[in-house]
Amino acid sequence: MKKLRARFKKLDRAKYISHLDLYRFMQRTFKRAGISVWYTQGFNPHLYIMFPLPLSLGFESECEIMDFNINDDDLPPQAVMEKMNAVLPEGIRITEIYEPVMKHTEIDSSEYSIELVSSSEKFSEENFRSFMDMDRIVIQKKTKQKTMKDVDIKPFIDILGINRTDSSLKILLRMPSGSSVNYNPSLLLDAFNRFSESEPDITKINRVRILTANGEDFR
């Protein structure tokens, strides 16, 4: 048995494939590609596939991660990638397969490219900067006890870039994605919508990097 990790893109219409459906989708992909994969043992054997950082429905990604095991130790990772890409549909493409280097617990944060498409002047760069200059950005987050509590997410947001075009506001930011602290960028956008008293016509969110605590790409 050989442990492998795949990095893949999930773009365009594929962003509407849910996390559960993605598991089923990849299961069919292995069968169509003719790759012998490892199943768990016991009374209820099932295909081992692990997505360490599930992507929210409607988000695109350039850097999704999937762990799996194959039974053929002699099959090179490059051959596995070619076989899978040959049967994958448009919108999902594996860019790299390699033996895992890091543990899932080393994931610390993610970078997102966000585009708000709107003709409203309320989505100006100046307005967003004013929003980020506030002392606190308070959102409501569901707890493990399924109650709601106020959380200030301002200390956890790192804005890497802001750019305004004629019809859109583009933002590059980093937010926590670890096992202890994990915030969805849609929480920030909802807070900005309330601040600006408006909503964009279209919101595009693309995860572009998954990082460790020291800023390295997760591998």
Side-chain angles (χ1 to χ4, degrees), residues 81-200:
M81 183 177 73
E82 291 173 357
K83 285 175 175 287
M84 295 183 70
N85 278 336
V87 297
L88 284 170
E90 183 179 352
I92 296 183
R93 186 63 45 187
I94 295 173
T95 58
E96 189 178 6
I97 293 183
Y98 51 92
E99 296 187 27
V101 177
M102 302 172 178
K103 297 180 180 179
H104 297 164
T105 53
E106 295 184 61
I107 294 175
D108 178 75
S109 62
S110 295
E111 288 183 7
Y112 298 90
S113 174
I114 299 173
E115 183 176 6
L116 308 177
V117 180
S118 175
S119 58
S120 172
E121 295 181 356
K122 295 181 179 180
F123 284 91
S124 65
E125 178 180 339
E126 294 76 13
N127 201 17
F128 185 79
R129 290 188 183 277
S130 297
F131 166 71
M132 290 303 306
D133 284 341
M134 294 192 303
D135 293 335
R136 304 175 74 228
I137 299 177
V138 178
I139 56 96
Q140 281 206 323
K141 194 173 188 332
K142 184 178 291 186
T143 66
K144 292 181 179 180
Q145 292 74 32
K146 297 184 179 180
T147 60
M148 304 300 293
K149 70 173 183 178
D150 289 342
V151 177
D152 179 17
I153 62 174
K154 174 70 180 291
F156 302 99
I157 304 168
D158 188 6
I159 301 298
L160 305 176
I162 306 173
N163 182 39
R164 171 76 190 196
T165 66
D166 292 339
S167 61
S168 69
L169 180 64
K170 296 182 178 180
I171 305 161
L172 181 64
L173 59 84
R174 183 181 298 170
M175 296 186 75
S177 295
S179 55
S180 57
V181 182
N182 191 327
Y183 288 120
N184 192 307
S186 60
L187 296 173
L188 176 67
L189 297 182
D190 290 343
F192 177 52
N193 291 345
R194 291 192 296 271
F195 172 84
S196 63
E197 298 181 341
S198 181
E199 290 190 9

